Amino acid sequence: PIHGSCLRTKCSAAFVPPMCSPELLRVACLQFAPSHGRVRENMARADALLKARKADLEGLRLLVLPEMAFTGYQWRSKEDIDAVLEDDSNSPTSDWCRRTAARLGCVVCCGFPRRKSLRRLNSMVVASPGGELVDIIDKHHLYATDKTWAEAGTGFRSLGVVPGLPLGPVGFGICMDINPREFQVPDEDYEFAKFHLEKGSRLIVFSSAWCRNHPDDSPSAFVDKTDEQVSEELLNSWLRRLYPLLGRDVYFVVADRVGEEALELLGKDTDQRSRFCGTSCVISLKDKRVLKALSASEEAVLVVDVPLKKDSVSSGVAAFLSTTGFPTGQLFK
């Protein structure tokens, strides 16, 4: 089915599910550093990263990419971003997602900026394994960087069924959605987590372009940290914001970008640069366990087999990170 205001597409050939274990849900998170404004170049980079992991993508059921994955994140105005805004008649990101979903036989979720009538929105495409558009999710809580051009979406989203995924309901979020609205609502309101608790979301798909600093921070706040410090702080921050869901049988799947962008792109008179946090991961909220994660700086495709049965978590799933020394399977406070 096509829900809401979606781009109209023709159905592709009938989807044949890939062979995979009925007890595992194979998910992948693509983490990379897109070049600002170079959409086609960034798509080619994403294709190359996926091609390098081709053998590991057999049986894949879900692929997640970061927020505004192909356009870059920082734009100084509505007029500035208009050149890369997508709509029903011209949506390179939607086309890439549908094409990639059909090729890999999996659901694909990817962030992109779009125009809907007179509104500009920070959104996420959801494409089915058959190459059809399932839904478009809009960011509900805007970060300072979004406010130069975007309007807020009307609410959070959770879908009872997403074709191609054996686990549901499936919830969605984009970066700032996990934080208090405007950073003004009390922390203990947990708007995002309580929404997904009420909806019974079992899987939460999260696209992000998480910045290490707020764009209005003073230069002294832009301090260097190790990848390990960045990842530990970020993982603990996400878990704190998901507090009402801790102990529940829910998986949190994050694709976050890496790299940096000049704050000049936001119209700031500074030579400071926004650096992004990476740490794409899959977390079991039942026991606050990171099944697997990437570092805060590497470009890679994370592939994780998520156990669908409560007793199927094993040491094979909770492996160790290959690049950071930060252990997957680690429990967080």
Side-chain angles (χ1 to χ4, degrees):
I2 295 179
H3 305 273
S5 175
C6 298
L7 309 180
R8 298 293 176 179
T9 65
K10 293 182 179 180
C11 295
S12 63
F15 166 62
V16 179
M19 295 296 292
C20 59
S21 168
E23 295 183 353
L24 296 173
L25 172 69
R26 179 162 292 180
V27 304
C29 304
L30 197 160
Q31 175 172 297
F32 76 132
S35 298
H36 191 269
R38 299 180 181 178
V39 174
R40 297 299 176 185
E41 179 181 316
N42 294 328
M43 288 179 175
R45 177 63 180 152
D47 286 334
L49 287 167
L50 291 171
K51 184 177 180 181
R53 295 297 303 273
K54 181 178 179 180
D56 299 314
L57 300 182
E58 291 294 326
L60 188 66
R61 306 299 288 272
L62 172 66
L63 171 64
V64 186
L65 285 83
E67 176 181 15
M68 296 176 68
F70 299 132
T71 60
Y73 182 50
Q74 298 183 146
W75 299 85
R76 71 182 65 212
S77 66
K78 296 176 181 179
E79 294 74 22
D80 191 35
I81 200 172
D82 276 350
V84 296
L85 281 182
E86 304 182 18
D87 58 30
D88 286 4
S89 63
N90 178 31
S91 183
T93 299
S94 179
D95 293 343
W96 185 93
C97 289
R98 292 186 294 108
R99 189 167 61 246
T100 301
R103 176 170 58 83
L104 296 178
C106 70
V107 173
V108 174
C109 301
C110 180
F112 77 124
R114 68 168 180 144
R115 186 194 303 274
K116 180 184 177 185
S117 187
L118 298 178
R119 304 180 70 208
R120 295 169 177 83
L121 299 158
N122 185 338
S123 304
M124 180 200 301
V125 173
V126 183
S128 77
E132 300 172 351
L133 196 64
V134 176
D135 209 341
I136 296 180
I137 313 300
D138 296 323
K139 190 174 188 177
H140 184 39
H141 289 177
L142 298 185
Y143 188 58
T145 305
D146 303 308
K147 293 177 182 179
T148 60
W149 65 272
E151 296 181 38
T154 55
F156 301 126
R157 296 297 300 276
S158 183
L159 301 178
V161 176
V162 173
L165 292 180
L167 190 64
V170 180
F172 301 90
I174 302 174
C175 206
M176 178 68 187
D177 280 340
I178 201 172
N179 284 323
R181 181 174 55 83
E182 304 284 348
F183 291 116
Q184 295 176 358
V185 173
D187 285 352
E188 58 270 22
D189 281 10
Y190 297 108
E191 307 106 302
F192 181 77
K194 286 183 177 179
F195 171 87
H196 290 295
L197 179 63
E198 179 183 342
K199 295 297 182 181
S201 299
R202 294 283 313 284
L203 179 70
I204 298 177
V205 176
F206 194 72
S207 289
S208 184
W210 203 278
C211 303
R212 300 191 186 193
N213 288 88
H214 190 280
D216 294 330
D217 279 350
S218 65
S220 62
F222 287 76
V223 297
D224 285 333
K225 296 180 180 180
T226 66
D227 278 5
E228 291 82 1
Q229 287 174 317
V230 171
S231 291
E232 185 166 357
E233 290 176 8
L234 182 55
L235 290 166
N236 277 308
S237 175
W238 285 335
L239 285 169
R240 283 194 299 271
R241 297 307 311 149
L242 295 169
Y243 177 77
L245 293 167
L246 299 184
R248 303 277 177 166
D249 194 15
V250 178
Y251 290 97
F252 185 60
V253 179
V254 182
D256 193 18
R257 65 160 291 178
V258 291
E260 57 184 43
E261 289 182 351
L263 282 173
E264 284 182 333
L265 294 168
L266 280 176
K268 304 289 185 181
D269 184 18
T270 177
D271 59 358
Q272 296 286 350
R273 302 178 69 84
S274 288
R275 297 181 65 191
F276 298 93
C277 294
T279 318
S280 298
C281 60
V282 178
I283 304 175
S284 166
L285 299 185
K286 187 174 181 64
D287 52 9
K288 298 188 291 183
R289 186 175 298 272
V290 179
L291 300 188
K292 217 170 186 180
L294 296 175
S295 78
S297 59
E298 66 186 310
E299 291 189 295
V301 178
L302 180 75
V303 181
V304 185
D305 286 330
V306 174
L308 295 180
K309 293 178 65 176
K310 293 181 180 179
D311 59 354
S312 63
V313 176
S314 68
S315 59
V317 174
F320 282 83
L321 286 179
S322 60
T323 58
T324 67
F326 186 76
T328 63
Q330 180 166 343
L331 300 179
F332 282 83
K333 296 179 181 179

